[in-house]
């Protein structure tokens, strides 16, 4: 093999590795954004359910997370606030998690 051909092969291999790495980075960033969105929506749904007196706001959060292709891994009601944590699959990377809190604004609290 000539020196020129070896250089082309090395350059092609390096370029392929960069493209693959950028693809993984993009997948991870997209999964993180999906997890953050799912957590926000789950927390808001649970907070709304709590505000209208629903008996199971965490069940509402789980349904909202599921509709956004996420898994509710934690849900806590603390007073009038709801704290949730969700996970989103990011194959081939590990699952990505996000947390959110929702509740009434400080001016709405008596």
């Amino acid at each position: 093999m000539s020196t020129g051909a070896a250089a082309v092969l090395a350059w092609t291999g390096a370029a392929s590795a960069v493209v693959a790495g950028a693809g993984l980075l993009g997948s991870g960033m997209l999964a993180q954004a999906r997890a953050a969105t799912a957590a926000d929506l789950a927390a808001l749904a649970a907070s709304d359910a709590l505000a209208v007196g629903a008996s199971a706001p965490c069940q509402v959060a789980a349904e909202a997370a599921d509709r956004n292709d996420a898994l509710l891994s934690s849900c806590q009601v603390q007073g009038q606030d709801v704290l949730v944590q969700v996970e989103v699959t990011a194959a081939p990377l590990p699952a990505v998690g996000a947390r959110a809190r929702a509740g009434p604004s400080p001016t709405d609290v008596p």
Side-chain angles (χ1 to χ4, degrees):
M1 179 182 306
S2 70
T3 305
V8 169
L9 287 175
W11 179 253
T12 303
S16 296
V18 168
V19 169
L24 283 175
L25 178 63
S27 292
M29 291 174 67
L30 181 61
Q32 184 60 51
R34 285 181 32 232
T37 298
D40 288 343
L41 293 172
L44 287 169
S47 178
D48 283 348
L50 186 62
V52 297
S55 61
C58 288
Q59 179 61 36
V60 173
E63 291 170 7
D66 184 55
R67 288 185 189 133
N68 287 280
D69 297 322
L71 175 66
L72 183 69
S73 56
S74 173
C75 179
Q76 298 175 359
V77 176
Q78 293 181 349
Q80 295 180 327
D81 289 347
V82 179
L83 291 81
V84 300
Q85 183 169 349
V86 302
E87 289 187 356
V88 171
T89 58
L93 301 171
V96 177
R99 295 179 184 176
R101 173 190 297 257
S105 71
T107 58
D108 293 340
V109 178

